[in-house]
Amino acid sequence: MRGHESSVFSISVHASGRYAITTSSDTAQLWDLDTFQRKRKLNILQSVGIQKVFFLPLSNTILSCFKDNSIFAWECDTLFCKYQLPPPPESSSILYKVFAVTRDGRILAAGGKSNHLHLWCLEAKQLFRIIQMPTKVRAIRYLEFLPDSFDAGSNQVLGVLSQDGIMRFINVQTCKLLFEIGSLDEGISSSVISPHGRYIASIMENGSLNIYSVQALTQEINKPPPPLVKVIEDLPKSKLTSGDLKMKVTSGRVQRPAKSREKQIQTRILKQDLTGHFENKENELSDGLNKKRLQILLKGYGEYPTKYRMFIWRSLLQLPENHTAFSSLIDKGIHVAFLNLQKKYPIKSRKLLRVLQRTLSALAHWSAIFSDTPYLPLLAFPFVKLFQNNQLICFEVVATLIINWCQHWFEYFPNPPINILSMIENVLAFHDKELLQHYRDHDITSQVYAWPLLETVFSEVLTREEWLKLFDNVFSNHPSFLLLTVVAYNICSRAPLLNCSLKDDFEYFFHHRNNLDISAVIREVYHLMDTTPADIHPDNMLDVFVALTKGQYPVFNQYPKFIVDYQTQERERIRNDELDYLRERQTVENMQAEVDQQRVEDEAWYQKQELLRKAEETRREMLLQEEEKMIQQRQRLAAVKRELKAKEMHLQEAARRRFLKLQQDQREMELRRLEDEIERKVHMRDQEMATAVKDLEMRHLELESQKRLYEKNLTRNQETAAKEMREDADAYRRKVNLEEHTFHRLIETDQTQNQKTQKLIEENLAKAEQACLNTDWRIQALHKQRCDDLQRNECYQEMAKLLRKNRRKEIEVLNAMMEKEAKTWEEAEEKDFRLKSEKKASALSDASRQWFLEKEINDALEHTEGPRSQYEQVASSCLPRTSPGSDVSEVDASTWISLNQRKTQWDTMEQDLLDRVRNLRQRLTARARHSCRTPHLLAT
């Protein structure tokens, strides 16, 4: 059963017959027998198994017994725990295996693998007695109380089946062994007691079935009892043996055991019918029933008892219960004609639909005409609903109904049975001409007022109770009773029918329930059976009742076979066409499914592509936004850089101006110093003229030291100035290179290596040019930088326009720059060599001048003024005019030589000195301009 994981070993039914409990080792379930639905399920732990769950007799209490000896009582409706029995004493603790309850539900007997029996009082909820069985009993297999008609349910005798196969019956009050059945040779496997306690049926270990009479077994016990004892003793040797009471089931007649006067045993002969035919009279039915007596009972009460109705029907219809033949019909499966039965007849209960399908399929397999009978489901449905729990009986009832009460229905197949409807119309014309004339006036035929009742066997117009009452009479009478019932139904309903004038009203009337007394209809049927003339009476045209044959069902061929065969062939052709159509439709559906699948996949792909496109657009927008943000950040950074560059340029410009101003101040200071020196010398000239003779030697030393100190200071200042100028030129050159590098990187990133090479060459060229610069070009540095800025801007614009054209000439430019660099280095080396030569010449001139001066000083005292003027001319022609230091030495020498000349000669010499200084500055400026112009020409 559904819900049980292991086999069900116990089923207990409530006294009302509404509920049942199924028990397995893992769970117990409560079922509603009306709907066959599970109401509750008992869930337990895996470590605690279930021994038994059952209803208490005459009570609404469920008793559950578990393997740990715990016993609970539950309310059936609410499943509320009413009480729990206390655990048994440890001295007599046994594992309960079997249980029995008295018929009044007051005493519970429990036993197990022990010779002890525990008796529990369920009212007091306590253990009130422990019974010890004989020592031969080691385990108890089965317990059951023996019912008694005079003990009011408080059973006193308990049957105990032990492991030795002997069932002992003891009195639980006196603890006396009353009798026992079975023996060691013929042990009892299982046993059951009849509800009234008259018989005991036992299945022996050898497979035989023994039925014992309790009256015969207790005959000796009913004698005056011996003294009452409490100890259970063995039976005396003269006890009744089971062999004298044994009755075996055989296929033929059985021999009853010999009866003695002391031991009278009532037995029943069980005989199996081998031929399948009854030899009784017509009114004698199986199971000892008489049809005449049943008819008398039916006329007296109007219906059969509900409790015995199905049994009486089975007896009246003489159902053979051919299990094998029915199983062969069922094994053929659902017939093709009823595969889609649910679409035409939507039934809520799936079980009922399944039973209806199987019954109709069995009928269709039995006879081919039933697969084409459209009203067969309507005809069989009430019987299927009534016998849904026994499909064999349902099938045989419907088959018997078709064979007997549906005679001649299929002669005009597939049309309604015109002959049967004519019978009904003739009977109606005889008994109620007015109603028939009313039907004819409104064009209502028997297919409207008779056929709907027949094809549904009155199930649409009657309730369940009325329908059962009607068919109690139908099955108890001749098959013509059903046809006369149709006439009686019309006659009893003549009043509302005479008021109907529309065909829809008549159709509605015969397809729906009406306010009609079924008892009056049945009485009218019996009246019609008695008063209908024989010439139009249906029983003359219908055969008497014929039961189904036993073993195999009879052949049913009471129909136009050629029509059925033609319909079968047409149906087969249509079925083949339908199969072809279904295959083609399946192919088309498969193709359509593939197309739909492809379309879905394409749609999914397009959607995916659309999502990807949208995602790409989103990403592109995000990238554009990020790029815009980056551009804005770069613009802000560039603006900040421009501001910083502008500030830097301003600072550099200010520093440059400050430096130039400083240089100018230094030059001016130097010139003022020179002028002051000249003035001081002119001023001191007169004083020196007076003291020259005396201090000539000292003056000569002082002049010499002064000269060296001045040269040293001048050289240091020139070196410092040259160093600062080189640093400024390097910084400026780096700035220019950085700007050019940034510009070239933004314009064309693929020329980075060439730009680096060009930058390196330009740096080397700048370094070569810087080595050639003289210290005197600083005065024009500001003018040169401004020119450089203007020329660089022009060069950048020109380079931006001619960039593509200049790519082809890069190698030539680089080679030219390298040649220029080599030439510049050669020129620098040449100038360096020239400088060294000049320095050597200057050193030689200084040495010659010193030697000459020393010589002249020695000769000055001896010679006159004439030789001194001659010496002055020779000295002036021999001394070089390359630096301000030599000019000062020349002035000093002239001053020394012409000490005694006039003041006008000093003025002339001073003017000459200024002119030479001016010429020197002009040469330095021109040289600086020439050197600064050459790199820009190379860059362009």
Side-chain angles (χ1 to χ4, degrees):
M1 300 182 70
R2 184 177 58 189
H4 289 283
E5 296 181 358
S6 57
S7 61
V8 176
F9 57 77
S10 173
I11 299 178
S12 177
V13 182
H14 192 264
S16 63
R18 185 177 178 182
Y19 303 108
I21 294 177
T22 58
T23 308
S24 62
S25 60
D26 57 344
T27 184
Q29 299 185 109
L30 178 63
W31 301 84
D32 189 344
L33 296 182
D34 292 338
T35 61
F36 288 95
Q37 300 293 326
R38 184 178 64 188
K39 292 188 62 179
R40 295 294 179 89
K41 181 179 180 181
L42 176 62
N43 295 317
I44 62 171
L45 297 176
Q46 296 182 355
S47 59
V48 180
I50 299 177
Q51 287 290 2
K52 191 174 183 181
V53 180
F54 54 93
F55 287 103
L56 291 181
L58 303 177
S59 174
N60 206 28
T61 304
I62 300 174
L63 211 63
S64 60
C65 308
F66 300 94
K67 291 184 179 180
D68 59 353
N69 280 3
S70 59
I71 300 176
F72 293 86
W74 310 83
E75 184 65 29
C76 177
D77 297 331
T78 62
L79 293 181
F80 176 74
C81 183
K82 298 175 65 175
Y83 57 85
Q84 178 184 2
L85 297 182
E90 297 181 358
S91 60
S92 180
S93 178
I94 59 176
L95 293 177
Y96 294 152
K97 295 290 185 181
V98 291
F99 305 89
V101 184
T102 58
R103 296 301 170 96
D104 58 0
R106 296 181 178 179
I107 297 177
L108 171 67
K113 291 185 178 180
S114 174
N115 62 346
H116 285 187
L117 282 176
H118 289 185
L119 298 181
W120 292 85
C121 180
L122 298 181
E123 291 182 345
K125 305 175 186 61
Q126 63 181 359
L127 181 67
F128 74 93
R129 184 166 297 168
I130 299 176
I131 299 177
Q132 182 178 359
M133 298 296 292
T135 56
K136 293 183 293 183
V137 177
R138 297 190 303 273
I140 298 174
R141 294 164 50 189
Y142 181 71
L143 293 175
E144 186 173 3
F145 282 96
L146 183 65
D148 193 350
S149 302
F150 303 100
D151 59 2
S154 59
N155 310 127
Q156 303 295 322
V157 180
L158 177 64
V160 182
L161 178 62
S162 58
Q163 88 288 343
D164 55 2
I166 300 175
M167 191 170 185
R168 298 171 176 85
F169 289 85
I170 62 174
N171 191 309
V172 296
Q173 298 295 333
T174 62
C175 295
K176 178 183 177 181
L177 178 62
L178 302 180
F179 61 90
E180 61 183 19
I181 58 177
S183 63
L184 297 177
D185 296 333
E186 292 185 87
I188 298 175
S189 176
S190 61
S191 181
V192 64
I193 302 174
S194 64
H196 298 286
R198 296 178 182 177
Y199 302 100
I200 303 172
S202 300
I203 299 177
M204 313 306 290
E205 293 179 351
N206 58 5
S208 61
L209 174 65
N210 292 354
I211 299 178
Y212 301 92
S213 173
V214 177
Q215 183 180 2
L217 292 171
T218 58
Q219 189 173 9
E220 186 177 352
I221 300 173
N222 292 332
K223 294 180 180 180
L228 182 64
V229 293
K230 296 294 184 181
V231 180
I232 298 176
E233 299 177 355
D234 293 337
L235 289 175
K237 296 181 180 180
S238 60
K239 67 179 180 180
L240 187 67
T241 61
S242 62
D244 298 335
L245 304 177
K246 182 169 63 175
M247 181 181 66
K248 297 184 178 180
V249 179
T250 60
S251 60
R253 291 181 176 272
V254 297
Q255 299 294 332
R256 297 183 180 180
K259 296 182 179 180
S260 62
R261 295 180 180 178
E262 297 180 353
K263 302 178 182 179
Q264 295 181 357
I265 304 174
Q266 297 179 359
T267 60
R268 176 177 296 173
I269 300 175
L270 300 179
K271 182 179 180 182
Q272 181 180 1
D273 190 3
L274 300 177
T275 62
H277 299 284
F278 293 95
E279 299 177 355
N280 299 331
K281 296 180 180 179
E282 181 182 356
N283 293 328
E284 291 296 329
L285 304 175
S286 61
D287 300 324
L289 298 179
N290 187 279
K291 188 174 182 180
K292 290 293 184 180
R293 292 181 180 179
L294 289 176
Q295 290 177 348
I296 294 172
L297 178 66
L298 180 62
K299 289 182 179 180
Y301 292 96
E303 59 180 339
Y304 292 128
T306 305
K307 185 176 182 180
Y308 301 103
R309 175 177 280 121
M310 300 299 106
F311 173 73
I312 294 173
W313 282 15
R314 292 168 63 181
S315 300
L316 289 173
L317 300 178
Q318 302 177 19
L319 302 180
E321 299 185 12
N322 299 326
H323 293 276
T324 305
F326 179 72
S327 298
S328 64
L329 294 175
I330 291 296
D331 292 341
K332 293 181 180 179
I334 303 300
H335 198 274
V336 180
F338 305 107
L339 287 175
N340 299 322
L341 184 65
Q342 187 177 6
K343 296 180 180 179
K344 189 175 181 180
Y345 300 99
I347 301 175
K348 294 182 179 180
S349 175
R350 298 184 62 85
K351 177 184 177 182
L352 190 61
L353 176 65
R354 188 164 56 250
V355 174
L356 179 61
Q357 272 185 324
R358 291 178 179 176
T359 304
L360 297 178
S361 300
L363 291 171
H365 293 310
W366 176 42
S367 181
I369 191 174
F370 297 129
S371 62
D372 298 325
T373 305
Y375 56 85
L376 186 63
L378 300 175
L379 181 70
F381 180 73
F383 299 99
V384 170
K385 190 172 183 181
L386 187 63
F387 296 99
Q388 58 180 323
N389 294 326
N390 195 334
Q391 299 181 36
L392 171 64
I393 300 300
C394 177
F395 170 78
E396 293 186 349
V397 168
V398 175
T400 305
L401 177 71
I402 291 174
I403 290 177
N404 295 277
W405 281 270
C406 299
Q407 297 180 37
H408 308 294
W409 280 28
F410 306 99
E411 293 179 358
Y412 294 90
F413 184 83
N415 298 316
I418 305 300
N419 50 352
I420 300 297
L421 298 180
S422 298
M423 295 180 193
I424 297 173
E425 187 173 356
N426 293 334
V427 175
L428 181 62
F430 178 80
H431 292 284
D432 198 340
K433 294 181 180 179
E434 182 184 358
L435 181 60
L436 181 61
Q437 187 62 37
H438 180 71
Y439 286 156
R440 290 175 179 176
D441 294 341
H442 294 86
D443 197 19
I444 302 300
T445 63
S446 57
Q447 296 185 14
V448 176
Y449 65 82
W451 181 238
L453 301 177
L454 290 177
E455 67 178 358
T456 61
V457 287
F458 293 90
S459 61
E460 286 186 345
V461 297
L462 299 178
T463 62
R464 176 186 173 89
E465 291 74 15
E466 293 174 347
W467 187 84
L468 293 173
K469 188 175 182 179
L470 173 62
F471 270 84
D472 285 343
N473 292 271
V474 171
F475 289 152
S476 301
N477 290 278
H478 192 270
S480 62
F481 189 90
L482 182 63
L483 303 182
L484 295 177
T485 304
V486 177
V487 179
Y489 188 86
N490 281 268
I491 293 174
C492 293
S493 305
R494 67 187 311 274
L497 289 173
L498 290 175
N499 293 328
C500 295
S501 59
L502 299 177
K503 187 175 181 180
D504 293 340
D505 296 338
F506 288 101
E507 292 178 352
Y508 182 86
F509 184 86
F510 289 104
H511 284 281
H512 293 81
R513 294 176 183 176
N514 302 294
N515 188 12
L516 187 65
D517 186 9
I518 191 63
S519 300
V521 175
I522 295 173
R523 288 193 299 270
E524 182 65 23
V525 174
Y526 283 111
H527 174 72
L528 295 176
M529 291 184 69
D530 296 336
T531 58
T532 303
D535 56 342
I536 61 173
H537 202 291
D539 60 356
N540 294 330
M541 304 175 188
L542 299 178
D543 298 333
V544 296
F545 174 81
V546 177
L548 296 176
T549 58
K550 198 171 185 67
Q552 294 292 334
Y553 296 115
V555 176
F556 184 82
N557 55 1
Q558 300 175 7
Y559 57 88
K561 193 172 183 301
F562 68 94
I563 296 178
V564 176
D565 293 341
Y566 175 75
Q567 289 186 350
T568 303
Q569 293 175 2
E570 287 296 316
R571 187 172 61 253
E572 185 67 21
R573 182 183 61 80
I574 293 172
R575 189 174 68 85
N576 293 331
D577 294 341
E578 185 178 1
L579 289 177
D580 295 338
Y581 167 73
L582 289 176
R583 282 194 294 268
E584 293 178 359
R585 190 178 68 177
Q586 184 67 28
T587 305
V588 173
E589 289 179 354
N590 293 335
M591 293 175 63
Q592 184 65 29
E594 292 179 359
V595 172
D596 294 340
Q597 182 68 22
Q598 186 66 31
R599 186 173 64 253
V600 170
E601 291 178 357
D602 293 343
E603 188 67 23
W605 186 81
Y606 285 122
Q607 290 180 358
K608 186 177 181 181
Q609 295 299 321
E610 183 67 19
L611 293 176
L612 291 175
R613 187 183 63 80
K614 291 181 179 179
E616 185 178 359
E617 291 179 356
T618 305
R619 290 291 182 86
R620 189 180 293 109
E621 291 177 358
M622 293 174 61
L623 291 175
L624 291 176
Q625 293 177 0
E626 293 294 331
E627 288 179 358
E628 289 178 358
K629 292 181 181 179
M630 187 66 68
I631 291 172
Q632 293 177 0
Q633 292 179 357
R634 287 178 178 176
Q635 290 177 355
R636 288 194 296 269
L637 183 60
V640 173
K641 286 183 177 180
R642 283 194 299 270
E643 293 178 358
L644 293 176
K645 200 68 177 176
K647 291 181 180 179
E648 185 179 358
M649 290 176 65
H650 290 310
L651 292 176
Q652 290 179 356
E653 185 68 22
R656 189 181 296 110
R657 291 177 180 177
R658 184 177 178 183
F659 179 72
L660 292 176
K661 185 177 180 181
L662 180 60
Q663 286 183 341
Q664 185 177 1
D665 293 341
Q666 289 179 354
R667 287 292 184 179
E668 291 178 354
M669 186 181 296
E670 186 177 357
L671 291 175
R672 285 196 301 269
R673 187 177 60 80
L674 291 174
E675 291 177 356
D676 293 338
E677 186 69 26
I678 293 172
E679 290 178 358
R680 185 181 59 80
K681 289 180 180 180
V682 171
H683 179 69
M684 292 176 62
R685 181 177 53 189
D686 295 335
Q687 296 179 0
E688 290 175 357
M689 288 291 292
T691 59
V693 177
K694 296 180 180 179
D695 297 329
L696 182 59
E697 187 174 353
M698 183 60 67
R699 183 63 178 169
H700 176 71
L701 294 174
E702 288 179 0
L703 289 174
E704 187 67 26
S705 61
Q706 233 178 29
K707 172 186 173 184
R708 292 179 180 178
L709 180 61
Y710 184 75
E711 289 178 354
K712 182 179 180 181
N713 292 333
L714 184 59
T715 304
R716 184 182 299 169
N717 292 333
Q718 287 179 354
E719 290 179 357
T720 303
K723 183 178 181 180
E724 291 177 357
M725 200 63 191
R726 282 195 300 270
E727 291 177 356
D728 294 338
D730 293 338
Y732 182 75
R733 183 62 60 188
R734 284 195 298 271
K735 182 187 74 173
V736 172
N737 293 334
L738 181 61
E739 290 179 357
E740 291 178 355
H741 178 70
T742 305
F743 180 77
H744 285 288
R745 185 178 61 183
L746 293 174
I747 294 176
E748 186 177 1
T749 57
D750 58 352
Q751 299 296 330
T752 305
Q753 189 64 32
N754 294 332
Q755 290 177 1
K756 290 181 179 180
T757 306
Q758 184 177 357
K759 181 180 176 181
L760 181 61
I761 296 172
E762 289 178 356
E763 288 178 356
N764 294 332
L765 181 59
K767 291 179 181 180
E769 291 174 353
Q770 186 65 30
C772 298
L773 292 176
N774 201 320
T775 57
D776 296 328
W777 68 283
R778 287 180 294 176
I779 299 174
Q780 301 297 328
L782 179 60
H783 182 266
K784 183 194 68 173
Q785 291 178 0
R786 290 179 180 177
C787 293
D788 290 342
D789 293 335
L790 295 175
Q791 291 176 2
R792 189 170 60 256
N793 291 331
E794 293 176 358
C795 291
Y796 288 163
Q797 294 177 1
E798 190 174 0
M799 287 174 65
K801 294 178 182 179
L802 302 177
L803 183 60
R804 295 181 181 179
K805 296 180 180 180
N806 291 339
R807 290 179 181 175
R808 300 176 182 178
K809 300 180 181 181
E810 285 180 356
I811 299 175
E812 298 177 0
V813 174
L814 292 176
N815 294 330
M817 291 175 68
M818 292 174 66
E819 292 176 359
K820 182 63 179 179
E821 180 184 359
K823 293 178 181 180
T824 308
W825 280 111
E826 291 177 0
E827 184 179 356
E829 292 176 357
E830 183 180 354
K831 290 181 179 181
D832 189 12
F833 179 74
R834 190 185 302 168
L835 180 60
K836 291 180 180 179
S837 301
E838 290 179 355
K839 286 182 179 181
K840 291 180 180 180
S842 177
L844 292 174
S845 64
D846 290 338
S848 61
R849 185 172 55 251
Q850 185 177 2
W851 174 78
F852 179 74
L853 289 174
E854 290 177 358
K855 183 178 178 182
E856 289 297 327
I857 289 170
N858 294 325
D859 296 339
L861 299 175
E862 298 176 357
H863 295 284
T864 58
E865 187 175 353
R868 288 176 187 157
S869 61
Q870 186 178 1
Y871 171 75
E872 181 181 358
Q873 294 177 0
V874 175
S876 61
S877 61
C878 293
L879 288 175
R881 300 177 181 178
T882 57
S883 63
S886 61
D887 295 338
V888 174
S889 299
E890 183 179 356
V891 171
D892 292 337
S894 300
T895 305
W896 177 260
I897 296 171
S898 60
L899 290 176
N900 296 321
Q901 291 181 358
R902 293 188 301 260
K903 186 178 181 180
T904 56
Q905 292 179 356
W906 284 100
D907 293 337
T908 303
M909 292 176 64
E910 183 179 359
Q911 188 66 33
D912 188 18
L913 180 60
L914 292 175
D915 293 336
R916 291 182 182 181
V917 170
R918 191 179 295 108
N919 293 330
L920 179 59
R921 288 179 179 176
Q922 291 177 359
R923 285 200 307 271
L924 291 174
T925 301
R927 188 182 300 172
R929 288 180 181 177
H930 179 71
S931 61
C932 291
R933 191 175 300 161
T934 303
H936 293 292
L937 293 175
L938 291 173
T940 57

